[in-house]
Amino acid sequence: MFYIKQNLFLYLTPRQKSQLLSFLKSFVKKHSNLSTEDIFDKFAEEEYYYFEINNPHFEFIIEYLENEEFIRDFKVFTKSVFDEMKYKELQKPIIEAQKAKAKEFRKKAQDFKMSKMKPTKKQLYYYEKVAKAHGVQMQDVSNASRLDLRNWIMEIIDPKEETGEDTSFD
């Protein structure tokens, strides 16, 4: 994409080119259900409309809308945006898998860190209150870590189904 941008719209100033390419990229993504020719027609139609009401997006673009070189550059850029969108769509499952692995890694790192830290007074107090409220016998907290207390609290609040009986209502 970067190399394509360097070779397109060479007759515009760098600032004009930057503004136009940024706008075109979002415009093409917005109208991605249309063909390249239809997108160009819609773009030209909008620019002429905004020019007629004296509020153009790009004042410099009106003179280029009939230029064959501009139309060719527009179509090349549109095709490159479509290719980029297709590439990102193909990469989506890989990126999601990477995010899941990173999330799992962060959880393991947090658990390891918590296993090395002493529990806070608040955590000890909360464990005591939850154990009493649910009628569960408290475990020895003298050598417990934050991770241990968190796990014990979660076991009390969300007990695992160990009986194997079907408790669903049919």
Side-chain angles (χ1 to χ4, degrees), residues 114 116-120 123 144-146:
M114 286 178 73
K116 303 295 181 194
M117 299 172 78
K118 291 185 178 181
T120 63
Q123 196 177 20
S145 67
R146 284 188 186 180

Side-chain angles (χ1 to χ4, degrees), residues 10-166:
L10 298 176
Y11 38 86
L12 298 176
T13 66
R15 186 176 184 136
Q16 291 173 336
K17 183 176 173 179
S18 174
Q19 289 174 338
L20 179 65
L21 291 180
S22 175
F23 178 79
L24 285 180
K25 188 172 184 179
S26 63
F27 189 82
V28 170
K29 286 181 179 180
K30 180 179 177 185
H31 301 290
S32 62
N33 58 338
L34 302 174
S35 69
T36 304
E37 290 80 19
D38 292 340
I39 290 174
F40 178 76
D41 292 341
K42 189 158 187 70
F43 174 74
E45 180 183 313
E46 280 190 20
E47 289 306 313
Y48 282 130
Y49 170 76
Y50 285 116
F51 182 73
E52 288 174 5
I53 63 170
N54 293 325
N55 190 14
H57 289 124
F58 310 104
E59 294 177 5
F60 59 89
I61 207 72
I62 297 300
E63 62 190 67
Y64 293 114
L65 288 177
E66 301 295 327
N67 186 339
E68 287 298 320
E69 188 178 2
F70 178 81
I71 295 170
R72 181 188 57 81
D73 288 348
F74 184 92
K75 290 180 180 179
V76 168
F77 183 72
T78 303
K79 184 180 178 315
S80 71
V81 172
F82 281 140
D83 291 344
E84 181 184 341
M85 288 170 51
K86 191 183 304 180
Y87 177 75
K88 283 187 178 180
E89 191 64 35
L90 291 173
Q91 294 297 316
K92 200 175 232 179
I94 296 169
I95 292 170
E96 293 299 322
Q98 287 174 339
K99 285 181 181 179
K101 291 262 187 211
K103 185 176 181 180
E104 183 180 320
F105 178 75
R106 286 192 305 272
K107 180 160 177 41
K108 284 182 181 178
Q110 181 187 21
D111 287 352
F112 178 76
K113 184 178 177 182
M114 286 178 73
S115 70
K116 303 295 181 194
M117 299 172 78
K118 291 185 178 181
T120 63
K121 289 181 183 178
K122 227 178 191 182
Q123 196 177 20
L124 291 168
Y125 177 75
Y126 184 69
Y127 174 62
E128 182 182 331
K129 290 296 182 187
V130 168
K132 284 182 183 177
H134 286 80
V136 175
Q137 183 179 356
M138 289 181 52
Q139 298 186 19
D140 182 27
V141 294
S142 59
N143 293 327
S145 67
R146 284 188 186 180
L147 179 65
D148 295 333
L149 254 70
R150 183 192 74 186
N151 292 339
W152 294 339
I153 292 169
M154 292 309 294
E155 286 174 8
I156 294 170
I157 295 174
D158 295 329
K160 302 288 186 224
E161 293 291 328
E162 296 178 15
T163 58
E165 296 177 13
D166 186 18

